[in-house]
Structures are given as structure tokens and as C-alpha cells.
């Protein structure tokens, strides 16, 4: 585990409408979760915020295109999971935000108890798993480094988002066995009602782009009607 992780503040709330997230800050504090509210301009000027918080909540209060650019910026500069705070759940926009780099969504209408349960679940995963895994697996010229949350090919080093890391960890631990969609969803999302096959499919698709070999072999196989498998045999 990285030295000092346990002393980090839990949540960085990025919002240019500070008053809109005051209730969220109070909600988190009520349940023992420390948080810091900062505007994007401040975060852009002082990147030390990325080193002192474990989870980023971004209030998507800008126009869609600007939100996407900010999410990409946050993803580029932070290794921590990013959740979009949103007042809508348009599937088309959700997909774009996933592609830009968020791990999930927290609707403003979600109850305080459910929000804090979600944050605690993510923090628990970070504290107990992300930095304790040192597994390295090389298959067909691709190196999966779970400890550093990377996939390295001959020409690129791809960083993994939290959900990608979780999915890959399950597939590696069960390599060559078909893992059902329901099993993946139950192991990765704390609130199953907010998880869908479509959300899982988006993350699998992004992982596949990062795991395509030089011979165009796709290591993550879809077993139609069942689930997914990391095939490390017959390569």
C-alpha cells in the first residue's frame, strides 16, 4: 500500500456552484466522511488536490462538451476514481461521460444514506485492495500490472480506471473460466440496482481496446448469453 494513503482526505468535490453541493458535504460529514469543495479553476491551478483525496466527485453543471473536457482533464491528472454528480441520467450522455473517464454516477436525488454507502464502498475497495495487489501477468506480449493499474503493450502503457481494474482483477483471478455478467456486476458495483449490462459492456469495450495484441488477438472473449472470459491458453 502506498505510504500515507490512510491519512488522505476522502473526497474532493469539484463544483463551480458551491452552494449546490453544501448539502452533499454535510451528508458525507454526518457519516464520518471528510470532504473538500473546490472549483475547477482552483483544482486546475493547484494539482496538489489530486494527491490528497481518494475519490473525486465532479458536479456536471457545465454544457456537455465542457463537462467531457473537464472529466478528461481530471482523469489525466488523477489516478483516483471519479464520479459524476448529475441531475439527469440520459443514456447517451452517460455513455459519453463513461468514455471520458468517470467510474460512475451519483444523482443529486439519491438519498444521503445511499450516497455515503456508495462512497464508503469505493473507499473500502481502495484501502483494502487497490494498493495491495502486486500481481503481474504477461500474455501474448501484453503485461497486466494490477499493482500499478496498467496494461502495457509493445507500444503503449494504458492506465486503468477503478472499474476497469476491478473487472480485470476478477477476470485474471478466474482466467480461462467464463464469468457471468451477474457475477461481475455483483463483485464490482455496491448498488446492483444502479448497475446494468450496458454499463458493464462499456467498461469491457474500453478494456478490449487496451488489450488488443499486435496480432489482433482479443484476450477478453465474449461468451454470448453467459458472460466474459480472459483466455490465456492457446496463444
Amino acid at each position: 500500500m502506498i505510504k500515507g494513503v490512510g491519512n488522505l482526505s476522502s473526497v474532493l468535490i469539484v463544483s463551480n456552484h458551491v452552494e449546490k453541493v453544501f448539502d452533499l458535504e454535510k451528508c458525507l460529514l454526518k457519516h464520518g466522511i471528510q470532504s473538500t469543495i473546490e472549483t475547477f479553476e482552483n483544482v486546475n491551478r493547484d494539482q496538489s488536490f489530486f494527491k490528497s483525496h481518494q475519490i473525486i466527485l465532479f458536479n456536471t453543471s457545465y454544457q456537455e462538451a465542457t463537462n467531457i473536457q473537464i472529466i478528461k482533464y481530471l482523469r489525466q491528472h488523477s489516478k483516483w476514481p471519479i464520479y459524476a454528480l448529475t441531475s439527469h441520467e440520459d443514456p447517451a450522455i452517460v455513455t459519453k461521460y463513461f468514455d471520458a473517464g468517470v467510474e460512475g454516477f451519483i444523482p443529486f436525488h439519491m438519498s444521503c444514506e445511499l450516497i455515503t454507502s456508495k462512497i464508503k464502498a469505493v473507499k473500502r475497495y481502495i484501502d483494502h485492495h487497490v494498493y495491495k495487489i502486486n500481481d503481474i501477468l504477461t500474455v501474448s506480449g501484453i503485461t497486466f500490472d494490477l499493482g500499478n493499474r496498467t496494461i502495457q503493450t509493445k507500444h503503449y502503457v494504458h492506465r486503468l480506471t477503478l472499474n476497469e481494474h476491478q473487472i480485470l482483477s476478477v477476470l485474471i483471478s478466474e482466467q480461462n473460466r467464463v464469468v457471468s455478467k451477474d457475477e461481475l456486476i455483483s463483485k464490482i458495483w455496491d448498488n446492483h440496482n444502479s448497475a446494468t449490462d450496458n454499463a458493464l459492456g462499456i467498461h469491457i469495450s474500453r478494456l478490449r481496446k487496451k488489450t488488443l495484441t499486435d496480432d489482433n488477438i482479443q484476450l477478453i472473449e465474449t461468451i454470448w448469453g453467459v458472460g466474459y472470459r480472459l483466455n490465456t491458453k492457446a496463444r
Side-chain angles (χ1 to χ4, degrees):
M1 181 175 289
I2 290 179
K3 183 178 181 181
V5 164
N7 296 322
L8 292 178
S9 301
S10 293
V11 179
L12 172 63
I13 304 174
V14 180
S15 176
N16 275 34
H17 296 283
V18 177
E19 68 284 351
K20 191 171 183 179
V21 294
F22 275 152
D23 287 343
L24 175 59
E25 182 187 35
K26 292 178 182 177
C27 164
L28 296 176
L29 186 59
K30 175 183 175 182
H31 289 81
I33 301 174
Q34 297 293 325
S35 61
T36 304
I37 300 176
E38 291 292 341
T39 64
F40 174 68
E41 285 73 14
N42 286 345
V43 172
N44 189 28
R45 282 194 297 265
D46 185 358
Q47 296 181 10
S48 66
F49 287 112
F50 294 126
K51 299 178 181 179
S52 58
H53 297 81
Q54 287 181 301
I55 301 168
I56 297 175
L57 305 181
F58 168 55
N59 180 13
T60 56
S61 58
Y62 296 92
Q63 295 294 320
E64 178 186 324
T66 303
N67 286 332
I68 290 173
Q69 291 303 312
I70 291 177
I71 290 170
K72 288 181 177 180
Y73 176 89
L74 295 175
R75 178 78 287 148
Q76 179 183 358
H77 291 84
S78 175
K79 60 191 172 189
W80 304 112
I82 302 168
Y83 282 80
L85 297 171
T86 179
S87 56
H88 60 78
E89 299 178 51
D90 184 326
I93 295 178
V94 167
T95 299
K96 291 179 182 178
Y97 290 172
F98 270 130
D99 288 342
V102 302
E103 266 69 45
F105 288 76
I106 297 179
F108 277 111
H109 61 73
M110 185 179 286
S111 70
C112 177
E113 289 71 22
L114 190 52
I115 289 175
T116 52
S117 293
K118 180 182 286 290
I119 295 299
K120 286 181 178 179
V122 175
K123 189 176 184 301
R124 185 168 59 247
Y125 178 85
I126 293 171
D127 289 342
H128 293 96
H129 296 286
V130 171
Y131 295 105
K132 291 185 178 179
I133 298 174
N134 296 308
D135 295 356
I136 296 178
L137 174 68
T138 299
V139 182
S140 298
I142 293 181
T143 298
F144 302 100
D145 187 340
L146 296 181
N148 290 312
R149 286 175 62 179
T150 61
I151 294 175
Q152 183 170 351
T153 64
K154 183 177 181 180
H155 302 290
Y156 301 100
V157 175
H158 303 283
R159 294 188 65 178
L160 297 171
T161 65
L162 178 62
N163 281 343
E164 290 171 352
H165 178 271
Q166 291 173 304
I167 292 170
L168 192 58
S169 296
V170 174
L171 293 178
I172 287 178
S173 67
E174 302 288 347
Q175 58 188 274
N176 302 311
R177 182 181 80 82
V178 180
V179 182
S180 72
K181 294 180 181 179
D182 287 343
E183 183 178 349
L184 278 169
I185 288 174
S186 68
K187 288 183 176 180
I188 294 163
W189 280 276
D190 56 296
N191 176 23
H192 299 177
N193 293 329
S194 67
T196 63
D197 286 356
N198 184 54
L200 176 61
I202 290 171
H203 292 298
I204 290 288
S205 177
R206 292 171 63 183
L207 269 176
R208 281 199 167 120
K209 292 178 182 178
K210 298 176 181 180
T211 57
L212 188 64
T213 70
D214 290 338
D215 298 326
N216 291 322
I217 296 174
Q218 184 49 254
L219 301 178
I220 299 177
E221 301 177 341
T222 298
I223 310 301
W224 295 107
V226 183
Y228 303 97
R229 172 176 62 196
L230 179 67
N231 191 344
T232 62
K233 296 180 179 179
R235 299 297 179 193

